[in-house]
Every structure is written in structure tokens, then in C-alpha cells.
């Protein structure tokens, strides 16, 4: 079992009386974002270590407690050790820590005790020095037994520092903080201004989850520009999915009236809206909704391709365009289900929409369907070869 322990004790240096954990971050509080990361790493129970309760902290804990894991408040290592099952691994997050899913996934793996470290004492991730070379970078994996050791210390100990010392003295593995993790926004912040600055970097990292060329160079850039503004205004995630659905219906309607160029433009707008909604869902820990975006984009591409194929079948008096649309959709469906890691050049629903758009605007969509079918088929071949290599 994996449990989580978050420290929420220190006040923001630029907002006296306000805990760092309750500062706004990513359309929620920092504490809620940290809880979201722990849930994503597989934590089944989460404890929040506090020095004092505030109304904002209680509200944040109550909101987070509506998720699928238990979120409880503790005031000491002794209380924490009593609440966590014997033999569980405990993933610890420092007060004011901002990080991303890859960091938490790495530290949440099975294994002995471990400390995330940096050898740069001036790094924004450096919290406390461990030895002559390394500083703690805000994440630790410890055992319940070590929590019990801290509980035997005098009452005036600092919980976070004591935990760090016990882990270091036990010979915990030092996991170096990589440059990519640092670039993605990993840091410890104790000011509202600093968190606001980190917010942009974290949002940018979340939009990089989709690796295809069309997403990286078009739709991800749109999401990166729109997401900070949407998050700052607390726009609900469902509204983006609703807007994407409406645009998809407009696209299908335009294609039904034989306005294929207009339909493709509406489809591209729908794809951009859905991609932004997916990034927002990932930020808020709504993994099912984020995963549903990929299937929604496939359905969007399928509707557009089949609609264009049907209209061309009637106009050209041949079933070839419709067959090409079916081949493209079937091949892409198999690509989406392929277990091999997707490559940047591979076809994707959003890439197909970009490919079809110029052909539709030029009035020769049948050639676009042929290109999409060929692209999907070549990608499927690469996916099959990738699966064979993996096997």
C-alpha cells in the first residue's frame, strides 16, 4: 500500500496569516494539487500534517476528501504512524512543493527508502542540506517504522526536518533531480507570487502529454495560451467539453450541407477546445475525463471522414471516398489501441483533421481521404512492428 504525507505548516512569506498550502494554484489550492499528484501516483490514503487549522485549510481538505481516497489531518508523527497501515510505503511532499506526475511516479515506485535530491544548493528545489553534496528536493519515500522513530523524539522537534534526518541516517537512496523535472516546474515556493509564476510552467508541462506532431505544433500551443486564462477565471472543465461537442455538431451539419471546408474549420476548432479541456482535466486530476478526450477526438475524426466520404459518394457516384474514410477510421482505431509507444510522426485524429482541411478547402476532399487512409495504414504498420520489437 502507498500512503501520502503532505506538510501544510508554514505561512506564505508575502501573505502573513495564510498557509502556503492554501494559496491558489492551478484553479485550486496548492494542497489540492498536491493531493491530486499523490492520487495519480497510486496513494490510497493521504495525511496532511498541520500546525494549526484555518478555515481555508479545512475547506481545501474537505474538497479533496470528496475524491476516491481518504484525506485526514494529523498533528504529529505519532498520530501519522497510528493512522497508516503497518508495512505501507509513505510518499512525503514538502511544505510548498510544486512538482509534476513524472516525479511522483518515479518516487512512488516499489523499493527501499529514497530521497529526491539536488546537488545545486541554489536551486529553487533545494530545501535542506543532507551532506556535503546533496540537498533535499522535496519528495521522500519512507516507511511507517521511520514515522514511529520520529514519534519517540522530544515534543519540540520539527516534524519535516526530523523525518528528513531519520530517512537520511537510514541510508535512503538518493534520487537525483533531473534537468527535465526542474524545467517542468519542480520547486518549493513559499510566496503567492512565486506560485503564480510556477503555475504557468506546470500548465505548459501538462499540455506536453500528447506527443503527436499535430498536437505539439498546433493544438498544444493553443492549449498553452488558453489554459492559464481559463484556470485563473475558474472556468469549469465540463464547459470546454460542451463547447467542443457543439463545434463538432456544427462541423457535421456543415458537411451535411456539402460545405466541407467550413466543416473542417469547425472540426479543427472543436479539436483545439477538446485538447484544452483535456489538459485542464489532467491538471485537476480527472484522469478519466482526460483519457476520454482521445476517444472524443477519434469520434470527431470518424464523423468528419465518414460524412465527407458519404457526401463525395453521392457527388462522384462512386463508393471509393466512403471506403477510404472507413479504412482511415479503422486503421486509426487500431493505432489508438496499439500498446507500443506512439512516435511523434504517427497519425492521430488531430493530425488527420489538419491533413484533411486543405483538401476540403480546395474542394478535392476525396484526395484528402486517400491521403488520410494511406497515413493511417502506414502508421498501423509501424505500430505492429513496434509491438513485435517489444515482444
Amino acid at each position: 500500500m502507498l500512503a501520502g504525507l503532505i506538510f501544510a505548516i508554514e505561512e506564505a512569506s508575502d501573505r502573513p496569516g495564510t498557509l502556503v498550502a492554501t494559496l491558489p494554484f492551478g484553479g485550486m489550492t496548492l494542497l489540492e494539487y498536491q493531493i491530486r499528484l499523490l492520487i495519480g501516483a497510486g496513494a490510497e490514503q493521504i495525511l496532511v500534517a498541520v500546525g494549526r487549522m484555518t478555515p481555508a485549510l479545512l475547506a481545501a481538505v474537505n474538497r479533496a476528501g470528496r475524491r476516491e481516497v481518504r484525506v485526514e489531518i494529523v498533528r504529529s508523527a505519532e498520530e501519522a504512524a497510528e493512522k497508516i497501515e503497518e508495512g505501507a510505503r509513505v510518499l512525503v511532499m514538502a511544505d510548498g512543493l510544486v512538482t509534476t506526475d513524472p516525479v511522483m511516479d518515479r518516487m512512488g515506485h516499489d523499493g527501499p527508502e529514497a530521497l529526491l535530491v539536488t546537488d545545486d544548493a541554489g536551486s529553487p528545489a533545494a530545501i535542506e542540506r543532507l551532506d556535503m553534496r546533496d540537498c533535499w528536493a522535496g519528495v521522500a519515500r519512507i516507511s511507517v517504522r521511520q514515522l514511529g522513530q520520529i514519534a519517540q523524539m522530544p515534543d519540540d522537534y520539527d516534524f519535516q526536518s526530523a523525518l528528513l534526518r531519520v530517512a537520511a541516517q537510514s541510508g535512503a537512496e538518493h534520487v537525483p533531480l533531473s534537468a527535465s523535472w526542474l524545467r517542468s516546474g519542480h520547486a518549493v515556493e513559499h510566496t503567492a507570487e512565486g506560485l503564480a509564476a510556477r503555475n504557468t510552467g506546470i500548465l505548459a508541462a501538462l499540455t506536453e502529454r500528447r506527443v503527436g506532431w499535430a498536437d505539439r505544433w498546433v493544438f498544444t500551443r493553443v492549449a498553452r495560451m488558453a489554459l492559464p486564462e481559463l484556470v485563473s477565471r475558474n472556468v469549469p472543465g465540463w464547459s470546454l467539453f460542451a463547447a467542443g461537442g457543439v463545434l463538432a455538431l456544427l462541423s457535421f451539419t456543415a458537411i451535411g450541407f456539402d460545405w466541407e471546408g467550413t466543416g473542417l474549420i469547425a472540426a479543427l476548432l472543436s479539436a483545439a477546445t477538446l485538447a484544452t479541456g483535456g489538459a485542464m482535466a489532467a491538471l485537476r486530476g480527472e484522469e478519466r475525463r482526460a483519457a476520454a478526450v482521445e476517444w472524443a477526438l477519434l469520434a470527431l475524426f470518424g464523423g468528419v471522414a465518414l460524412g465527407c466520404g458519404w457526401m463525395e459518394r453521392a457527388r462522384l457516384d462512386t463508393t471509393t471516398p466512403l471506403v477510404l474514410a472507413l479504412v482511415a477510421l479503422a486503421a486509426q482505431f487500431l493505432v489508438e489501441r496499439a500498446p507500443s509507444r506512439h512516435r511523434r510522426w504517427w497519425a492521430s485524429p488531430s493530425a488527420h483533421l489538419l491533413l484533411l482541411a486543405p483538401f476540403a478547402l480546395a474542394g478535392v476532399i476525396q484526395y484528402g481521404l486517400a491521403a488520410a487512409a494511406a497515413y493511417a495504414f502506414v502508421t498501423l504498420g509501424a505500430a505492429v512492428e513496434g509491438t513485435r520489437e517489444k515482444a
Side-chain angles (χ1 to χ4, degrees):
M1 172 187 171
L2 180 66
L5 176 63
I6 301 172
F7 286 96
I9 298 172
E10 298 187 31
E11 293 186 359
S13 56
D14 57 350
R15 290 191 184 179
T18 301
L19 295 175
V20 175
T22 62
L23 291 173
F25 184 82
M28 60 192 91
T29 62
L30 177 59
L31 177 64
E32 290 172 271
Y33 177 73
Q34 292 173 324
I35 290 172
R36 199 279 290 172
L37 289 173
L38 284 170
I39 292 173
E44 301 175 33
Q45 177 187 12
I46 297 174
L47 304 180
V48 181
V50 304
R52 64 183 178 88
M53 285 300 300
T54 67
L57 181 62
L58 184 60
V61 170
N62 287 338
R63 286 192 300 269
R66 297 171 189 164
R67 296 177 181 266
E68 61 269 25
V69 301
R70 291 176 294 159
V71 181
E72 302 175 81
I73 293 173
V74 296
R75 296 181 180 274
S76 66
E78 182 179 10
E79 189 177 352
E82 290 175 354
K83 288 181 178 291
I84 299 177
E85 294 181 11
E86 187 67 30
R89 293 171 295 124
V90 184
L91 197 55
V92 181
M93 299 185 73
D95 211 330
L97 178 69
V98 176
T99 189
T100 55
D101 290 302
V103 179
M104 300 302 291
D105 291 341
R106 169 64 179 84
M107 295 300 294
H109 284 172
D110 290 332
E113 293 83 1
L115 295 167
L116 185 67
V117 300
T118 175
D119 59 5
D120 180 7
S123 168
I127 300 175
E128 191 171 337
R129 184 170 287 282
L130 298 173
D131 51 35
M132 292 297 293
R133 191 185 75 170
D134 291 333
C135 297
W136 187 41
V139 186
R141 184 175 65 239
I142 65 169
S143 64
V144 178
R145 177 181 56 81
Q146 289 173 328
L147 279 177
Q149 292 177 19
I150 302 169
Q152 306 303 318
M153 294 182 177
D155 293 338
D156 60 349
Y157 70 90
D158 180 274
F159 189 175
Q160 181 171 293
S161 291
L163 181 150
L164 183 60
R165 292 302 160 194
V166 168
Q169 291 168 10
S170 70
E173 174 192 2
H174 284 201
V175 178
L177 179 68
S178 71
S180 62
W181 291 348
L182 196 60
R183 285 195 303 270
S184 68
H186 183 96
V188 175
E189 294 288 351
H190 291 149
T191 66
E193 183 179 356
L195 274 180
R198 293 287 167 191
N199 189 61
T200 303
I202 293 294
L203 293 178
L206 284 171
T207 59
E208 295 288 349
R209 288 163 48 119
R210 305 173 70 230
V211 300
W213 64 267
D215 298 302
R216 182 175 181 84
W217 298 112
V218 180
F219 298 105
T220 288
R221 292 175 181 251
V222 173
R224 190 178 298 173
M225 290 186 291
L227 207 53
E229 186 68 21
L230 294 171
V231 166
S232 66
R233 297 177 181 274
N234 286 321
V235 174
W238 62 263
S239 64
L240 292 175
F241 288 91
V246 170
L247 287 166
L249 290 176
L250 289 175
S251 172
F252 301 154
T253 302
I255 292 171
F257 281 100
D258 207 17
W259 301 333
E260 292 163 343
T262 302
L264 261 296
I265 291 174
L268 291 175
L269 292 174
S270 175
T273 305
L274 290 172
T276 304
M280 182 180 286
L283 172 67
R284 293 173 175 171
E286 300 165 348
E287 291 299 330
R288 290 183 181 177
R289 183 178 289 180
V293 168
E294 304 305 322
W295 295 108
L297 288 170
L298 181 62
L300 174 63
F301 163 61
V304 168
L306 293 176
C308 289
W310 181 264
M311 297 304 294
E312 288 300 291
R313 180 200 65 83
R315 188 169 67 87
L316 300 176
D317 193 25
T318 175
T319 59
T320 299
L322 184 57
V323 170
L324 290 171
L326 287 168
V327 169
L329 179 58
Q332 190 60 44
F333 175 77
L334 294 174
V335 169
E336 296 299 311
R337 292 180 57 84
S340 50
R341 190 171 70 88
H342 288 208
R343 306 294 181 181
R344 182 165 296 174
W345 66 267
W346 282 16
S348 65
S350 49
H352 284 304
L353 293 174
L354 284 173
L355 179 63
L356 289 174
F359 289 99
L361 292 170
V364 288
I365 190 64
Q366 66 272 24
Y367 296 115
L369 292 172
Y375 188 18
F377 195 79
V378 170
T379 300
L380 178 59
V384 171
E385 286 300 315
T387 304
R388 289 178 58 190
E389 291 173 4
K390 188 176 181 180

